Amino acid sequence: MTLHLIAAVARNRAIGLDNRLLYWLPNDLKRFKQLTTGHTIIMGRCTYDSLPHGALPHRRNIVLTRSMKAIEGCDCYASLEEALNHCTEEEEVFVIGGASVYRQAMDRADVLNLTEIDDLPEEADAFFPPYDDWEEVWRENHPTDERHKQAYAFVDYVRRKAE
């Protein structure tokens, strides 16, 4: 299994406020869909609750929830460990939030698929874990335009190999 963490992060690693994304970047949403479609996504219950139409189509949706109430279109598990134990070796698995799930998954992740936004938000209450010790392997920079108020870059990282 390859475990990805996928997120849009501001310069201070901010990712959200009041269970909402900080930025509206159509190309980031397009990239998210492109990377995750056909694969497994894992999210916390609050992230699931923030989705406008429930489970995301054309993906295996896994929700981490302590209540273990059934959620239509989703597999539910009480912990990240349990969820990962129900994934196969062949699966590409993407953790899509929130902050606490990213923190739990960081030590197990193989790849970070980030959209780095060239901005510092005035307010944020959710942050992505530090990733200074990861190695950048690909970057695509994008300036502001009529649909994107902030400059941003799509950046992929892999865990830096011990020397």
Side-chain angles (χ1 to χ4, degrees), residues 57-124:
H58 313 296
R59 286 156 266 220
R60 177 182 176 206
N61 286 247
I62 294 177
V63 178
L64 305 181
T65 174
R66 287 186 277 283
S67 77
M68 292 307 295
K69 288 182 184 158
I71 300 172
E72 187 177 338
C74 300
D75 298 335
C76 296
Y77 298 104
S79 69
L80 177 64
E81 190 71 32
E82 184 182 1
L84 293 174
N85 286 339
H86 284 87
C87 295
T88 66
E89 261 315 296
E90 298 77 39
E91 275 182 272
E92 293 271 333
V93 179
F94 290 80
V95 172
I96 68 167
S100 67
V101 183
Y102 288 134
R103 281 193 304 275
Q104 292 171 51
M106 193 68 163
D107 289 342
R108 300 187 63 157
D110 302 297
V111 179
L112 306 180
N113 303 113
L114 301 181
T115 299
E116 295 181 338
I117 301 156
D118 188 19
D119 191 57
L120 279 174
E122 288 182 25
E123 271 190 282

Side-chain angles (χ1 to χ4, degrees), residues 25-40:
L25 297 168
N27 287 346
D28 172 59
L29 299 174
K30 193 183 309 181
R31 180 175 191 244
F32 175 89
K33 182 177 182 181
Q34 176 188 22
L35 289 174
T36 62
T37 295
H39 300 294
T40 298

